[in-house]
Amino acid sequence: MERLVVLAGAGVSAIPPSEVPSWWGFNNSVLEAMKARTRRYVRNPGLAQQVASLGLDEIGVAVFSAEVADAFAGSSWFDALGCLDGDTPSPCHDALATLAGRGELAAIVTTNFDTLIEQAFQDAGVPLDVYMPGGSLPPWSLAPDDPCILIKVHGSVTRTSSSLVDLATQKRRGLPPNVQAWLARLFASHRVLVAGFSGADLDLSDDYFGVWRAAPTIPWLRWTQRGGHEPSRGAAEVVAAVVDGAFAEGDLPDVLATLGLDVPAQRPRGNVRSVDDHINAWFAKPHIGDESVAACLARMLQGAGYVEASDELRRTIRSEIRAGLTRGVAILDALRMSNAIAMFGNDLVGRDDEQALVDLRLCEELTRTVVDGPAWAAPGEEARGEILQNLSGVKLNTGAAYASLDRVDDAACALAEAVDLIRQSPDGGSMGRWAAAHFLDGVIARLRDDMRGALVSWRQGARFARAAGVAQLELAVAENRWRTAIFLGEVELAKRFQEEAATLRSTVVGSAIRRVTLPDLTALAFDEDARVAMLLRRLHSEICRGGDRVDEVLYELLTRCDAEVDARVAGVLAETATKVCLVQPLSGAVVAVAYYVLTEGDDVSLLADVPRRLTAWIAPLVGGAVTRLDSGLILVDRLREALHLLARRWGQAGVSLMRKGDFGAAEAQFWVAAAAFLLASDADEGIRALSYASDALVRQERWQPAAAVLDWCAATAGPAAVSAVLARNTKFLLYRAVNGDLAPAAAIAAAAPLVAQLRVAHAPDELGSALTSLAQLHEQAGNADEAMNAANEALSLLTQEAHRDLVRELVSRIRESTAGDAIDG
């Protein structure tokens, strides 16, 4: 029987005797502690009642933890999570250890921080290999006699706080692509049981665990669900996509028994940790002040709709802060006060901008007085960076308040100061701050009637917000983009941005946002002839100005599929593209491909410079920290199709050059093909082309860049492309051994696990290629029998006759060698 994989959530640790607080329970305890620390600012019974009645359901648990971390906790929020461990495993943990002890459990994937699974296995004497993102991945193929593995996708309380994943912004950024690919392959090749996991994380990021892409090939899946509760949207979609998928209703651990698992008896209750004591000790840390806690609670009251209560609480806090300042305060107290005042200013932007500016000015004055004062010792790098980031946030909110008051020049000055502070930050500024800066820049451009400039800035803002996982800001960008696109008459583009906004709105918790109703853009009517003429002028202007929005204007024009419009667009492209050097490399490539499409492939004059432009885009990114190549371009389908066809043409040219031995030229072709595939949204083919580029680098004996490309591909590839990367890695080992860069025995040892991973990947050609490389390595090491076995297996798998001929030559050579050895003997 195929071994089982279990996806375990907080529910397996929340039951007795473990009783680890659930995510909801923990956050609710933090909320109650915040209310207790706010009582000193609550002066009347009405406000006291509203503060007391404020519940986590009104705030949203994902929003709550993010607000606390952003408002006053910072990275210390993860220290607060230290209580999410337990002393005594529950029957669920013991059931997993029992299952693994019988050899029926291949792996456990858990979102939990606690160490209860490890404790249960240790107590049962069952081996367990533990992995976490950021370290090495488990092997791709899990043999029946391998120990059970545990992958803790959100980190562990045993690690430093920086390894933990708890906040919604972190989850929206998603798991690393190589981890997603590994999980997808794990789920796809095993029976799956989901226990104690709601599936809410699946709504925060596209295919968060890789389980969605694996669903069609999962042989069996059961998702435990508490009776009387509706499953989450993500859970329902996954279960529906599995051929033999179903929910199993019931409470843990009893529901496990209904699925045929042996559930041990509950252990005696051990020490139950006091969550409240731990949280209160955390609140006593010197950087957390009552002012900031109360200011954060005022923000939550406002978000929940209690605006008057929120304003009253702010007035009381503000009054106490002013009284404290007249008496004189210590440096740390002043910084805490400035943080609270900064929150007031931020929350009042757009609602009471004059008061927001008063608060923000006071916050900046306090912070600068402290930092520039004689009693302030030079802060460490981390403290300095945090102060600069906070000041940049103050200036950004100041700019937003000025913009809301139509004081455009003042807003622009505040933005310039904010950008300067962001750049001074030791890490170059957070992606969230850059997103906010680009958003404000777009608002200022919009107020100056520079619609193009606004859309260009918001485009950048969307990229940074997406990378930072700040869905609220990404939603604000999308809302402004579609409304501005409508103003410009770019209806199809506006529809796209509106759909993006609707999708984001479904993932952002907040009652006010949920009530927004979007207008139906299909009902809009325009003078089409006048609009096309306007768009053609805009396209001409865009090309001449550098090309930041070429793809968007082309998208709007080419969605019409009108022969007359196509001819006029082609005329504009021919007139301008040959005369103007586009600043954006990708924009130039898109212009050339669009012209190629519109002339039905008869005129390739503009394609000559496309390879250089595509290489200029992709080469600096591969081998760096970027693990997802997202051009951000908006392309109509026929441009994507043309890019795909051209990519195949360039890739085939690379293969021909490889056969001729011109490896340098072949490498260049493969880079271009990879970039074109990626622009056409075919990531798997893009990775495959890059793996061919690494092969060309190897043939030039350029080991270091080849290794860098392969490492990048391995970290980026999805399940469908991983096989090609593994096959190229085995060939890379062969070339290194042939050229004396690696001993044959060491190469064989490194190749063996790659071949084992390919055996479970259902990719016969890639496995055949890897076995061919392994056979050649064995031949070089003098292992004739192993070489012959690998070569014969490769022959049974390879489908291309040219590859089979190479293996036949290898088999003949091995036979001749062994025959010669026999004669010599």
Side-chain angles (χ1 to χ4, degrees):
M1 177 185 292
E2 183 67 57
R3 292 199 295 169
L4 191 68
V5 167
V6 173
L7 173 55
V12 302
S13 298
I15 60 177
S18 302
E19 297 177 297
V20 172
S22 66
W23 192 36
W24 191 95
F26 169 77
N27 281 278
N28 192 60
S29 295
V30 174
L31 174 59
E32 292 304 316
M34 289 177 64
K35 292 178 182 179
R37 296 182 73 91
T38 304
R39 286 190 189 121
R40 58 179 280 203
Y41 301 106
V42 177
R43 304 290 169 78
N44 70 68
L47 177 59
Q49 183 177 357
Q50 287 185 313
V51 168
S53 65
L54 180 65
L56 202 57
D57 288 334
E58 293 176 280
I59 304 167
V61 66
V63 167
F64 176 80
S65 58
E67 290 284 14
V68 170
D70 180 63
F72 61 84
S75 60
S76 76
W77 172 251
F78 298 101
D79 297 332
L81 300 176
C83 66
L84 297 182
D85 201 358
D87 295 307
T88 310
S90 74
C92 293
H93 303 117
D94 289 331
L96 296 177
T98 300
L99 200 63
R102 295 204 300 256
E104 298 175 14
L105 184 60
I108 306 166
V109 180
T110 184
T111 57
N112 298 345
F113 306 136
D114 64 65
T115 59
L116 291 167
I117 293 174
E118 295 96 308
Q119 291 180 49
F121 275 69
Q122 183 176 0
D123 293 346
V126 178
L128 180 69
D129 293 337
V130 183
Y131 296 87
M132 276 172 270
S136 60
L137 281 175
W140 281 93
S141 63
L142 304 179
D145 56 348
D146 284 345
C148 178
I149 65 170
L150 170 65
I151 181 162
K152 304 180 80 167
V153 293
H154 289 167
S156 176
V157 292
T158 60
R159 291 285 188 91
T160 60
S161 61
S162 60
S163 71
L164 298 180
V165 175
D166 174 68
L167 303 177
T169 52
Q170 293 174 302
K171 294 176 182 178
R172 285 192 180 99
R173 290 196 290 268
L175 296 173
N178 58 333
V179 176
Q180 267 195 352
W182 185 88
L183 291 172
R185 181 161 304 179
L186 175 75
F187 290 131
S189 55
H190 291 84
R191 297 160 63 242
V192 177
L193 169 64
V194 183
F197 177 63
S198 69
D201 289 345
L202 302 180
D203 296 335
L204 293 175
S205 178
D206 183 33
D207 199 14
Y208 191 70
F209 296 107
V211 68
W212 173 252
R213 76 181 85 170
T217 55
I218 294 175
W220 178 94
L221 180 141
R222 293 296 179 268
W223 194 304
T224 65
Q225 178 73 23
R226 291 176 61 191
H229 289 71
E230 286 293 321
S232 67
R233 178 178 59 83
E237 289 178 353
V238 170
V239 169
V242 177
V243 175
D244 187 3
F247 286 101
E249 285 199 4
D251 293 331
L252 290 171
D254 298 336
V255 68
L256 299 182
T258 67
L259 296 171
L261 275 68
D262 290 337
V263 181
Q266 179 179 313
R267 301 192 194 195
R269 185 186 299 270
N271 295 323
V272 179
R273 303 184 182 190
S274 172
V275 177
D276 291 340
D277 289 347
H278 179 90
I279 290 172
N280 288 330
W282 175 69
F283 269 115
K285 290 180 178 292
H287 70 283
I288 300 176
D290 287 352
E291 306 92 342
S292 296
V293 173
C296 184
L297 200 64
R299 172 178 289 178
M300 292 173 183
L301 283 166
Q302 179 177 320
Y306 305 126
V307 177
E308 291 183 7
S310 173
D311 287 343
E312 182 179 346
L313 184 55
R314 286 195 186 95
R315 284 193 293 271
T316 306
I317 301 168
R318 203 181 278 122
S319 174
E320 286 218 5
I321 287 176
R322 286 174 181 149
L325 291 174
T326 59
R327 293 191 300 268
V329 295
I331 289 173
L332 195 57
D333 291 333
L335 286 174
R336 289 197 301 247
M337 289 176 179
S338 70
N339 182 53
I341 293 291
M343 276 189 270
F344 296 164
N346 178 34
D347 297 343
L348 292 174
V349 170
R351 193 164 70 84
D352 186 349
D353 295 297
E354 295 290 356
Q355 181 61 55
L357 286 171
V358 171
D359 289 335
L360 291 166
R361 289 187 194 116
L362 176 58
C363 170
E364 183 179 2
E365 181 183 344
L366 268 172
T367 306
R368 291 191 183 278
T369 300
V370 169
V371 173
D372 297 336
W376 177 257
E381 191 76 357
E382 184 176 349
R384 177 176 175 272
E386 187 172 342
I387 291 166
L388 289 172
Q389 283 289 302
N390 289 341
L391 275 175
S392 68
V394 169
K395 296 307 296 186
L396 286 170
N397 286 317
T398 300
Y402 280 132
S404 184
L405 292 168
D406 286 333
R407 295 169 60 179
V408 182
D409 291 339
D410 289 331
C413 289
L415 173 60
E417 292 182 53
V419 168
D420 185 54
L421 287 165
I422 295 170
R423 286 176 176 153
Q424 290 180 46
S425 300
D427 60 354
S430 69
M431 289 183 289
R433 283 286 187 262
W434 281 117
H438 282 293
F439 175 68
L440 178 57
D441 188 51
V443 171
I444 292 170
R446 178 70 175 80
L447 290 171
R448 288 173 169 166
D449 291 327
D450 179 7
M451 306 305 170
R452 174 192 178 274
L455 286 172
V456 169
S457 293
W458 288 330
R459 179 176 215 162
Q460 287 293 95
R463 291 174 183 170
F464 280 109
R466 192 174 304 118
V470 188
Q472 282 272 18
L473 188 52
E474 191 180 355
L475 173 59
V477 169
E479 293 279 14
N480 280 276
R481 288 175 93 182
W482 78 255
R483 287 185 167 89
T484 303
I486 280 293
F487 184 86
L488 291 174
E490 299 176 8
V491 181
E492 297 303 321
L493 190 65
K495 290 177 184 176
R496 186 183 180 106
F497 292 149
Q498 192 187 71
E499 290 170 3
E500 183 181 321
T503 301
L504 286 165
R505 192 173 297 104
S506 69
T507 69
V508 174
V509 180
S511 55
I513 292 174
R514 283 178 176 168
R515 287 197 296 268
V516 173
T517 302
L518 295 178
D520 180 12
L521 301 186
T522 59
L524 295 176
F526 292 91
D527 181 337
E528 283 302 309
D529 290 338
R531 190 151 67 100
V532 167
M534 174 191 66
L535 289 168
L536 289 168
R537 290 193 299 272
R538 193 170 295 156
L539 179 61
H540 183 286
S541 172
E542 193 57 49
I543 293 173
C544 294
R545 296 177 71 172
D548 289 295
R549 291 196 65 238
V550 158
D551 59 306
E552 295 179 356
V553 181
L554 276 173
Y555 179 87
E556 186 65 34
L557 283 163
L558 299 185
T559 48
R560 287 161 176 74
C561 295
D562 182 290
E564 181 182 344
V565 172
D566 284 358
R568 294 170 72 185
V569 173
V572 171
L573 299 181
E575 175 190 351
T576 56
T578 55
K579 300 176 183 177
V580 180
C581 179
L582 290 168
V583 175
Q584 301 292 334
L586 292 184
S587 295
V590 169
V591 165
V593 173
Y595 184 70
Y596 170 78
V597 169
L598 295 173
T599 57
E600 299 180 350
D602 293 333
D603 190 343
V604 297
S605 58
L606 296 185
L607 288 182
D609 196 41
V610 169
R612 180 189 65 80
R613 290 182 174 278
L614 293 181
T615 305
W617 169 63
I618 192 173
L621 301 177
V622 173
V626 178
T627 53
R628 288 189 179 96
L629 282 187
D630 180 10
S631 69
L633 296 185
I634 297 175
L635 302 180
V636 72
D637 286 344
R638 46 183 169 153
L639 288 189
R640 291 191 184 280
E641 291 164 5
L643 272 166
H644 206 277
L645 289 172
L646 289 168
R648 291 205 174 279
R649 180 191 300 174
W650 288 320
Q652 288 161 2
V655 172
S656 299
L657 289 165
M658 285 284 282
R659 290 171 180 162
K660 295 175 183 177
D662 192 349
F663 303 122
E667 177 206 342
Q669 287 295 124
F670 291 136
W671 278 101
V672 176
F677 276 128
L678 289 165
L679 284 185
S681 301
D682 192 338
D684 290 339
E685 286 299 323
I687 295 296
R688 194 182 302 273
L690 281 174
S691 70
Y692 278 105
S694 73
D695 199 11
L697 286 164
V698 166
R699 300 297 288 271
Q700 298 171 70
E701 298 185 19
R702 295 168 60 192
W703 311 117
Q704 190 171 350
V709 171
L710 282 173
D711 287 345
W712 187 89
C713 289
T716 309
V722 164
S723 300
V725 176
L726 294 173
R728 279 296 176 280
N729 263 307
T730 55
K731 187 173 287 188
F732 180 42
L733 292 168
L734 170 63
Y735 283 126
R736 287 182 62 192
V738 167
N739 287 271
D741 186 61
L742 188 66
I748 290 169
L754 303 178
V755 172
Q757 293 168 31
L758 280 165
R759 290 192 188 282
V760 296
H762 310 295
D765 276 300
E766 283 81 2
L767 177 57
S769 174
L771 285 166
T772 302
S773 300
L774 184 61
Q776 291 171 283
L777 284 169
H778 278 300
E779 179 193 25
Q780 189 180 6
N783 306 328
D785 290 343
E786 290 86 346
M788 184 63 77
N789 290 337
N792 284 330
E793 187 179 357
L795 270 176
S796 70
L797 293 165
L798 293 168
T799 58
Q800 296 186 35
E801 202 58 35
H803 294 166
R804 292 171 60 83
D805 287 342
L806 291 174
V807 179
R808 291 189 187 103
E809 291 177 14
L810 174 61
V811 170
S812 298
R813 193 165 63 242
I814 296 170
R815 283 176 178 160
E816 290 173 5
S817 174
T818 53
D821 290 342
I823 293 171
D824 292 341

